Amino acid sequence: TELDTARQELKEFIPHVKNISNSTIKKMAGRDLIRFKEFKKQGIAVKFGRFTQKENKQIQKNVEEFLSLTGIDSAEKLLFTSRYPDDKDTIHRLKTDHHFCEKISEGIPRPWRLVYYRARKIFDPNNYKGRYSKEEKEKLKKYQALHGNDWKKISELMSRSNLSVAMKYSEIKSAANYGPWTQEETQKLKNAVKEVLERKLKAENPNSLEKSDTDLWVEREKLHQALPWTEIETKVGSRYWRQCKQKWNSILTSKLARGQESYRGTSGLQAKINLIKRLYETKAEDANEVNWDELSNAFGDVPRAYVQSKFYRLKVSSVPLWKRKTFSEIIDYLYEKKLPELEEKL
């Protein structure tokens, strides 16, 4: 079949081709084979692993040239089209008309998808900018003394996101305690979360909290919504927000583990099947594009961290060489290879 031929031809360029799913092979046959053969003529081998500085520059050049060719006014619009629902159709049309795939990967001997991911990483304005240097931390303290908690202003002065500067400041401010949590701290954390959740519940439904209900708050609130961590940090007093969040997630996970006995056996299989199907339906190219909160409904009332850890275990135990695969290749593999196995078992 065409598929076998494509797989055979790709094998010359990609040694681990037997572990790649059929739908990815189809895409690679269309996007990559001709390019790979061209590179071979020039005596250039296909590469994996870290991108070099030279390759990063080439990607920037390719993106800028594509923008001036099509008149799309920013790399963010080109690479994160879903953030611009009004312009989506126009941008997709321009991408197709001007051969976005070929243009973006020109001169880079790597699978197209890896080039595309790298471009997204380079051009995402909200991207994680790495650790704060000593100077930056000093600047942050100084700006906070001048402007108080005006994080919008401070974020402009520091070219970091609002959230990043606010969270970093809270981390600096609380001389964090890194030892194991004491019973008293854990209790403070639970009380703080409870207060916040009760307040939210009251705001949403003023008559909801009768006395007998207070023990039900954990179940009622589904537990896995976003919480105001800096406020909780203040109430706990001895830990910074990220520690509070991690601790809370571990409390939840152990609570759930006790209530999760039902996820052994048949319903465990069913939950895995649902998870793979839901992930496949999202057509996400990247883990960041997945709405994990929505997905957690596939498992019943569990926090997103629980679903993410389920996915992680599934990926590590079922997908050979998963570290070399992109997110969507992993999902394709699970859908094509693992799903039939699980359904058979069920």
Side-chain angles (χ1 to χ4, degrees), residues 124 126-131 160:
D124 187 357
N126 308 337
N127 216 345
Y128 173 66
K129 282 187 153 178
R131 289 170 184 275
R160 294 251 186 189

Side-chain angles (χ1 to χ4, degrees), residues 4-60:
D4 295 332
T5 317
R7 203 177 273 277
Q8 205 43 52
E9 287 192 50
L10 280 164
K11 194 175 176 178
E12 181 187 348
F13 305 101
I14 299 176
H16 60 278
V17 77
K18 65 173 184 300
N19 296 319
I20 294 176
S21 71
N22 293 343
S23 46
T24 304
I25 292 283
K26 274 184 202 149
K27 287 177 193 162
M28 290 181 92
R31 289 170 177 169
D32 289 324
L33 254 178
I34 297 169
R35 293 175 48 241
F36 288 173
K37 286 176 180 169
E38 276 304 312
F39 282 120
K40 190 188 170 187
K41 274 185 203 160
Q42 298 163 33
I44 300 169
V46 175
K47 286 175 61 182
F48 295 90
R50 279 186 84 108
F51 278 71
T52 62
Q53 206 49 45
K54 192 176 162 204
E55 287 176 313
N56 289 338
K57 287 220 168 78
Q58 183 67 45
I59 291 176
Q60 283 170 307

Side-chain angles (χ1 to χ4, degrees), residues 120-326:
R120 282 173 67 102
K121 212 161 195 163
I122 293 171
F123 283 99
D124 187 357
N126 308 337
N127 216 345
Y128 173 66
K129 282 187 153 178
R131 289 170 184 275
Y132 279 67
S133 66
K134 217 170 174 171
E135 293 77 31
E136 276 188 300
K137 287 181 197 167
E138 288 311 314
K139 259 189 195 162
L140 177 54
K141 285 195 250 183
K142 189 180 89 189
Y143 290 144
Q144 199 280 336
L146 284 171
H147 304 289
N149 292 356
D150 185 348
W151 302 119
K152 189 169 181 293
K153 178 150 187 73
I154 294 172
S155 91
E156 283 161 12
L157 292 168
M158 296 199 62
S159 309
R160 294 251 186 189
S161 73
N162 295 11
L163 185 68
S164 171
V165 288
M167 293 306 199
K168 191 69 195 175
Y169 182 73
S170 89
E171 188 178 316
I172 294 169
K173 181 192 68 186
S174 53
N177 158 15
Y178 282 98
W181 282 67
T182 64
Q183 224 172 336
E184 190 190 348
E185 283 180 311
T186 309
Q187 200 46 56
K188 275 186 181 170
L189 173 66
K190 287 180 180 171
N191 293 346
V193 172
K194 185 172 176 174
E195 265 175 59
V196 164
L197 288 176
E198 282 184 347
R199 191 178 69 221
K200 276 191 166 184
L201 256 184
K202 273 203 177 105
E204 284 161 22
N205 184 357
N207 309 321
S208 69
L209 281 184
E210 300 305 326
K211 269 286 164 274
S212 62
D213 280 351
T214 45
D215 292 336
L216 289 176
W217 67 276
V218 168
E219 254 158 45
R220 298 274 304 269
E221 259 315 275
K222 294 205 178 113
L223 298 165
H224 51 267
Q225 52 176 286
L227 296 170
W229 288 111
T230 39
E231 182 190 332
I232 289 168
E233 171 198 280
T234 311
K235 291 181 192 292
V236 173
S238 54
R239 302 275 176 169
Y240 81 86
W241 69 273
R242 195 181 273 123
Q243 290 174 298
C244 296
K245 185 177 177 182
Q246 282 164 348
K247 181 65 177 170
W248 177 240
N249 278 336
S250 79
I251 292 172
L252 277 191
T253 309
S254 64
K255 262 181 196 295
L256 286 158
R258 290 199 294 276
Q260 277 306 320
E261 297 309 314
S262 56
Y263 280 113
R264 305 272 180 301
T266 324
S267 43
L269 283 172
Q270 190 59 62
K272 282 178 191 164
I273 289 168
N274 293 352
L275 180 60
I276 295 173
K277 282 183 176 167
R278 291 274 186 97
L279 279 166
Y280 186 76
E281 283 157 16
T282 63
K283 296 196 167 39
E285 289 279 348
D286 203 328
N288 302 330
E289 292 175 11
V290 175
N291 182 341
W292 292 99
D293 292 326
E294 218 168 79
L295 263 186
S296 52
N297 297 339
F299 279 84
D301 278 353
V302 295
R304 56 185 294 159
Y306 180 82
V307 181
Q308 285 167 318
S309 73
K310 277 277 177 226
F311 168 63
Y312 182 79
R313 267 185 242 155
L314 202 53
K315 161 176 85 173
V316 173
S317 62
S318 316
V319 182
L321 298 173
W322 62 270
K323 283 185 179 162
R324 285 195 191 168
K325 290 181 166 55
T326 61

